[in-house]
Amino acid sequence: SQTIHQWPATLVQPVGSPLSLECTVEGTSNPNLYWYRQAAGRGLQLLFYSVGIGQISSEVPQNLSASRPQDRQFILSSKKLLLSDSGFYLCAWSRLAGVSDEQFFGPGTRLTVL
Amino acid sequence: AQSVTQLDSQVPVFEEAPVELRCNYSSSVSVYLFWYVQYPNQGLQLLLKYLSGSTLVKGINGFEAEFNKSQTSFHLRKPSVHISDTAEYFCAVSRGNTGFQKLVFGTGTRLLVSP
């Protein structure tokens, strides 16, 4: 069966510090991968998605970047965090050819920027 | 472009009462529709999805939803809720017939079930 992991589970960082959040998927190959941010009262915002190694698409301009160094690894980064980067970050995957397939979500990382 | 509106940010109900969580979408093309549930500090879990066929879709935990194309709605219902149904519920839409799936989510409805 497939599983998706995210770490760390929680993170408190000062403004201006760097960020690295990691997501890994097990039990599948060539997944589509996604990063979402969930801010209070604002639902889920798609930040990045990837259809393959090194292929990253950004949905909104922001202070963050994403990378996919391996097939089942997706990393969210920032060089300098802003207060507005606080939120709950969710990684998800879906089957590569599955238009109608569901997305499977990780447990999330709660980031607080002080 | 698609969009999703969840009209109620919070719905309080008593245990064993019925509940309906509303979702309306806008799209000029055929769509797939989803309902996800999020328990506190967890990721999202799929409740049910509509792809095609019967407009009444049954999901996990006794939930069901009805696709109404003329009203562009996909409301979620449960005839009798439990305390354990307290969670946030998200409606989402993806554009059908594309080679890649991007979901557009609503802002969520928090269901609060009290004894």
Side-chain angles (χ1 to χ4, degrees):
Chain A
S1 64
Q2 302 88 8
T3 55
I4 178 169
H5 303 280
Q6 286 187 247
W7 63 88
T10 60
L11 191 60
V12 180
Q13 292 285 94
V15 169
S17 64
L19 173 73
S20 180
L21 303 182
E22 189 165 342
C23 170
T24 58
V25 181
E26 295 177 356
T28 189
S29 57
N30 301 319
N32 295 326
L33 295 172
Y34 311 80
W35 277 113
Y36 291 89
R37 178 169 57 205
Q38 187 176 19
R42 297 187 62 185
L44 276 77
Q45 181 185 35
L46 179 62
L47 302 176
F48 301 94
Y49 64 91
S50 171
V51 298
I53 296 174
Q55 301 179 59
I56 308 295
S57 297
S58 174
E59 283 292 290
V60 293
Q62 57 208 314
N63 184 42
L64 303 168
S65 62
S67 61
R68 185 171 176 174
Q70 300 180 46
D71 180 45
R72 290 170 291 174
Q73 185 184 30
F74 205 24
I75 296 172
L76 185 69
S77 304
S78 174
K79 291 183 179 177
K80 286 187 178 182
L81 283 168
L82 306 172
L83 286 174
S84 57
D85 292 324
S86 292
F88 192 50
Y89 288 83
L90 290 161
C91 181
W93 73 273
S94 67
R95 293 182 179 84
L96 184 63
V99 174
S100 60
D101 250 340
E102 65 182 281
Q103 288 185 14
F104 300 87
F105 285 80
T109 294
R110 185 161 302 282
L111 172 66
T112 303
V113 182
L114 302 175
Chain B
Q2 304 102 292
S3 68
V4 177
T5 302
Q6 292 184 246
L7 298 167
D8 306 301
S9 60
Q10 190 165 292
V11 174
V13 293
F14 289 109
E15 193 174 20
E16 298 183 6
V19 70
E20 178 179 83
L21 306 184
R22 296 181 291 172
C23 172
N24 287 87
Y25 68 94
S26 64
S27 176
S28 59
V29 298
S30 62
V31 295
Y32 298 135
L33 294 156
F34 305 79
W35 273 101
Y36 282 83
V37 60
Q38 184 182 31
Y39 299 102
N41 295 309
Q42 295 186 27
L44 277 68
Q45 178 185 6
L46 183 72
L47 274 178
L48 48 81
K49 59 185 177 183
Y50 172 78
L51 306 178
S52 64
S54 172
T55 57
L56 183 62
V57 180
K58 293 191 183 297
I60 62 171
N61 301 340
F63 284 92
E64 63 181 30
E66 184 152 21
F67 171 60
N68 187 319
K69 187 174 182 179
S70 63
Q71 305 212 355
T72 61
S73 68
F74 190 54
H75 300 334
L76 181 71
R77 297 192 292 257
K78 186 170 182 177
S80 176
V81 296
H82 302 288
I83 297 287
S84 59
D85 292 323
T86 295
E88 188 139 22
Y89 293 80
F90 292 94
C91 183
V93 60
S94 72
R95 189 173 61 184
N97 300 320
T98 63
F100 176 73
Q101 184 209 51
K102 282 198 292 184
L103 288 179
V104 175
F105 285 87
T107 51
T109 297
R110 187 172 300 277
L111 178 63
L112 298 171
V113 182
S114 53

